[in-house]
Amino acid sequence: MSVTVCWDPEAEQPPARVAAWRSMNAVARGDKDEWLALFAPDGVVEDPVGPSMFDPEGRGHRGRTAIAAFWDATIGRAEGLEFVIRDSHAAGAEVANVGTITTFLPGGYRVDTDGVFVYRVGDDGLIASVRAFWETERAMATARPVDA
């Protein structure tokens, strides 16, 4: 059985969980400017953590200019994204969300990426870092036509 975790952004929640929710919603709506505004000026995105086709050196995308370029190379190329968060663990200034991101690709394909998505916020509530733990090979093995 799969359970979807939904948060009321107006309810009392840890700041990192609120920031993660706002980030996922901005991405799902395709709102790049809103998404970028959620990050601290020196924020970093590691998606996925370590070397990848998106970040060959595995150092992450640091600062809003680099994060905007990451959007253009990844999120911006998708026809849509959906998030299903099955569990969420908040501690201190961080939250680790366990779930699946479904990416709808041009040409009528979809990829389901299971992972753990860790957000850290500063005292101002802005995202200091996003660290996404997922495996490229596992995600690509799920690629299939949308209608399948």
Side-chain angles (χ1 to χ4, degrees):
M1 170 160 75
S2 176
V3 176
T4 301
V5 178
C6 297
W7 299 292
D8 176 355
E10 303 304 318
E12 190 72 30
Q13 294 288 343
R17 184 172 288 144
V18 172
W21 184 89
R22 289 178 176 153
S23 173
M24 290 182 280
N25 276 278
V27 168
R29 287 192 317 278
D31 193 329
K32 178 181 175 182
D33 292 336
E34 180 182 334
W35 187 68
L36 290 172
L38 297 171
F39 285 88
D42 60 346
V44 62
V45 171
E46 296 175 77
D47 186 358
V49 170
S52 72
M53 62 186 148
F54 308 125
D55 181 13
E57 294 182 8
R59 295 186 180 166
H61 308 276
R62 298 181 186 280
R64 287 188 179 141
T65 300
I67 294 170
F70 169 78
W71 173 289
D72 293 340
T74 59
I75 298 165
R77 292 179 183 230
E79 292 183 348
L81 287 106
E82 293 178 355
F83 297 82
V84 174
I85 303 301
R86 289 184 297 281
D87 211 346
S88 179
H89 306 276
E94 298 186 73
V95 66
N97 295 321
V98 180
T100 302
I101 300 172
T102 299
T103 306
F104 296 92
L105 301 169
Y109 283 85
R110 67 180 278 168
V111 173
D112 295 321
T113 303
D114 292 327
V116 178
F117 310 97
V118 181
Y119 293 75
R120 183 170 47 87
V121 296
D123 292 339
D124 56 7
L126 293 176
I127 298 170
S129 69
V130 175
R131 301 185 78 220
F133 294 85
W134 57 275
E135 298 174 37
T136 303
E137 296 79 18
R138 286 176 62 174
M140 296 312 295
T142 72
R144 64 191 183 281
V146 171
D147 297 332

